[in-house]
Amino acid sequence: MQNFLDEGCSDAVLLKRALAGEEPAFLGLYERLKAGIFRYAFYMTGSRTAAEEVTQEVFLTLLKEGGNYHEDRGEVGAFVFGIARNFVRRFEHRERAFEPLPEDDMLSNLAGGLMEAQDSLAAQVARNQVTERVQAAVASLPDHYRQPVVLCDLCELSYQEAALRLGCAVGTIRSRLNRAHRLLAQKLQPLKSRQADIEATGTEGCLI
């Protein structure tokens, strides 16, 4: 079986070969794109099960509708993202259960950054609490603010890449991201205040 990942084939070439029936090419494209699609779907839906479902449906749809891709209109990654975004929207019209993702570095980093913009947390325990609250807070944001947070903060896309996927200007991504961060910091303020009260008491009176 040819290893297309090692051959340096572009995504566009892999897609063309996959549509021509070359299974190794499809598997190579899947390996390149699946992680990004899964993370995006998970952070947008808050459900691991939904993210797995979306990822599967995206690549099945790619095999069916990949002929609609035109290289001169953008990258394959952006085309696939558009498919994923449509499936996420369909899922959001259904009732969904919130499933926290433990030990997630990206959520932890975002939580720390948001809190440090106001004040730093003293304990890792509090950091973990904030991470869970950040995930819930991100899920509660309006879609036009949530998308930049998920793409830039959690999926680590550049402003330019996020702008291409959302079809807007880089400046729009920056302004929406800044506004989203302010909203998230406000949502986390009660937790930070409680942590400050705990820190002020010291260890005296601790029963553990």
Side-chain angles (χ1 to χ4, degrees):
M1 180 179 291
Q2 288 179 277
N3 190 337
F4 287 98
L5 294 178
D6 294 335
E7 285 186 359
C9 293
S10 69
D11 291 347
V13 170
L14 289 182
L15 178 58
K16 183 177 181 180
R17 293 184 178 182
L19 294 175
E22 295 186 33
E23 182 178 353
F26 175 76
L27 293 176
L29 189 61
Y30 175 78
E31 288 299 321
R32 285 185 182 178
L33 302 178
K34 68 175 181 178
I37 294 299
F38 177 86
R39 287 187 75 83
Y40 167 76
F42 175 81
Y43 287 125
M44 288 298 295
T45 64
S47 168
R48 184 187 298 275
T49 300
E52 292 172 348
E53 178 184 327
V54 167
T55 302
Q56 179 179 349
E57 291 297 332
V58 163
F59 285 96
L60 289 176
T61 301
L62 183 62
L63 280 179
K64 297 176 183 177
E65 302 179 4
N68 295 327
Y69 168 73
H70 298 283
E71 193 169 358
D72 58 346
R73 297 180 183 175
E75 300 176 351
V76 172
F79 179 77
V80 174
F81 169 81
I83 298 174
R85 192 179 182 189
N86 287 334
F87 277 110
V88 166
R89 284 173 172 169
R90 293 180 193 176
F91 176 82
E92 288 179 334
H93 289 133
R94 310 197 310 251
E95 184 177 354
R96 59 192 175 95
F98 182 80
E99 300 175 12
L101 180 64
E103 304 299 329
D104 186 88
D105 291 339
M106 296 311 301
L107 277 170
S108 181
N109 292 340
L110 177 58
L114 288 167
M115 297 304 290
E116 288 166 5
Q118 302 289 330
D119 218 343
S120 62
L121 290 176
Q124 183 61 37
V125 172
R127 183 67 164 281
N128 292 340
Q129 292 175 346
V130 174
T131 297
E132 294 177 2
R133 287 288 297 274
V134 166
Q135 187 182 355
V138 169
S140 73
L141 289 173
D143 185 73
H144 59 287
Y145 290 140
R146 182 158 44 110
Q147 294 277 2
V149 168
V150 169
L151 292 177
C152 296
D153 291 328
L154 301 177
C155 294
E156 299 186 283
L157 297 188
S158 67
Y159 293 151
Q160 291 80 5
E161 290 170 328
L164 286 173
R165 280 156 177 72
L166 296 177
C168 61
V170 171
T172 300
I173 294 294
R174 291 180 183 274
S175 62
R176 289 180 179 176
L177 198 57
N178 287 336
R179 175 58 178 162
H181 286 170
R182 290 197 295 271
L183 290 173
L184 290 173
Q186 290 173 6
K187 291 175 182 292
L188 293 172
Q189 184 64 33
L191 181 60
K192 187 178 78 71
S193 298
R194 288 198 298 273
Q195 176 60 24
D197 291 340
I198 293 172
E199 292 173 1
T201 66
T203 56
E204 300 84 353
C206 180
L207 300 179
I208 300 178

